[in-house]
Amino acid sequence: MQSTSTSEADAEFDVKEAIEDLAIFFSNLTELLSIMTGINNIEMFNDVRSKLISGETTYPTCFKHIVTKYFKLSSKPKKKEYKLVGKEFSNYLKQFLKVNNNNSDNNNNNNNITNHPSLEDDVTYDELIKFLKSCKSTISNDEQRVLKNECIYGFFLEKFIIEHMCNRAKGRTNLNNKVILKKEFNLSESYVRKLRWLGKLWSKYSKIGNLCISFSTLYNFKEQLETNFINPKLAEEWI
């Protein structure tokens, strides 16, 4: 009798575990389908693909093979390339500087962030949420537009995260960063982390905002940029 009871308990445990696994799989599948649903033209495909590459859109890792295959994402390790450093790298980056980003040939002027909260004064939590929600559509991975929007947005995302962490410490909310970013702005924590890095960099070296280069391309230079700004003379050129 004891043996039978133990066997039944084991069987019951296995069923519960299987149900939990199915629930996790269904949740992951639902998330995957939400990414793929509605893609019926080239523009939509390229938009989703761009967000997957930049990290703005994340997907369940259990479906990595499917996402990589159908969105034509490279699964091969990148070949090591010669990296420009120091003055050589700084000069290379300067070729992407757009001295006057208000030129009439800039087709995206109407989508630029112009009315943002003060960069110097304190901004309330609610003001930050309102601004970040209203301006989310202005951030992109467009290599034909200067990075100013992404810089400003990242700058205020950093302020928002600081305010949110203060609110958590004071017991005003129990939502972690990942949850609040998804809830309020539908942004992944990893993508926000990159934007915050850009915002902090721009607050010190404002010419970064005048680079006409895609955000994902610039982020690939993260290590070189940070090394570049260790040199006071090179850093001064970007203030």
Side-chain angles (χ1 to χ4, degrees):
M1 291 295 293
Q2 181 66 33
S3 176
T4 303
S5 177
T6 303
S7 177
E8 289 175 352
D10 289 342
E12 184 180 356
F13 175 79
D14 290 340
V15 171
K16 287 182 178 179
E17 188 175 19
I19 291 173
E20 290 175 358
D21 289 342
L22 282 171
I24 293 172
F25 175 78
F26 180 76
S27 175
N28 288 335
L29 182 60
T30 302
E31 185 177 349
L32 177 68
L33 291 175
S34 69
I35 295 172
M36 295 184 164
T37 299
I39 300 177
N40 54 19
N41 57 54
I42 295 174
E43 289 74 17
M44 293 181 70
F45 176 86
N46 287 336
D47 181 57
V48 174
R49 183 174 184 272
S50 176
K51 290 178 179 179
L52 286 168
I53 292 173
S54 67
E56 180 179 352
T57 296
T58 57
Y59 59 89
T61 54
C62 59
F63 292 116
K64 182 177 181 179
H65 176 71
I66 293 175
V67 174
T68 299
K69 176 181 178 181
Y70 289 102
F71 285 98
K72 313 301 180 185
L73 306 180
S74 175
S75 59
K76 298 179 181 178
K78 294 182 179 179
K79 295 180 180 179
K80 288 188 176 180
E81 298 177 355
Y82 169 70
K83 288 186 177 182
L84 300 175
V85 293
K87 186 68 175 177
E88 193 177 10
F89 170 70
S90 189
N91 288 339
Y92 165 77
L93 209 57
K94 284 178 182 177
Q95 69 178 305
F96 299 103
L97 275 174
K98 193 164 188 176
V99 179
N100 181 7
N101 57 26
N102 291 316
N103 286 342
S104 58
D105 62 345
N106 187 344
N107 296 325
N108 295 292
N109 267 350
N110 293 331
N111 204 31
N112 286 343
I113 297 177
T114 55
N115 187 21
H116 56 75
S118 170
L119 299 175
E120 304 295 335
D121 300 332
D122 291 335
V123 186
T124 68
Y125 188 74
D126 290 338
E127 287 174 335
L128 287 167
I129 289 180
K130 182 179 179 181
F131 167 74
L132 292 169
K133 279 186 174 180
S134 65
C135 292
K136 185 197 167 188
S137 62
T138 64
I139 60 175
S140 73
N141 198 39
D142 188 355
E143 61 183 15
Q144 300 300 320
R145 194 186 71 181
V146 294
L147 281 169
K148 189 73 172 287
N149 280 2
E150 288 69 32
C151 291
I152 294 173
Y153 201 85
F155 178 84
F156 285 105
L157 270 174
E158 174 67 8
K159 282 181 172 287
F160 171 78
I161 290 296
I162 292 173
E163 286 295 317
H164 183 69
M165 291 176 68
C166 287
N167 283 344
R168 284 194 69 189
K170 294 175 182 178
R172 295 174 181 171
T173 179
N174 61 355
L175 300 180
N176 60 33
N177 291 348
K178 181 178 181 179
V179 173
I180 194 69
L181 290 170
K182 193 71 174 177
K183 176 185 175 184
E184 296 291 354
F185 317 118
N186 195 29
L187 291 172
S188 70
E189 190 175 18
S190 60
Y191 185 58
V192 167
R193 191 180 299 114
K194 295 175 183 178
L195 285 168
R196 289 167 60 198
W197 167 81
L198 180 65
K200 286 186 286 186
L201 196 69
W202 170 73
S203 68
K204 297 177 182 177
Y205 312 105
S206 60
K207 288 184 181 178
I208 291 292
N210 295 331
L211 286 171
C212 194
I213 188 174
S214 72
F215 177 38
S216 59
T217 299
L218 183 75
Y219 193 79
N220 287 335
F221 295 133
K222 181 177 184 288
E223 182 181 341
Q224 290 153 278
L225 277 165
E226 292 175 347
T227 301
N228 186 77
F229 294 134
I230 293 175
N231 185 318
K233 290 184 178 180
L234 294 179
E236 189 177 359
E237 296 176 0
W238 291 88
I239 296 175

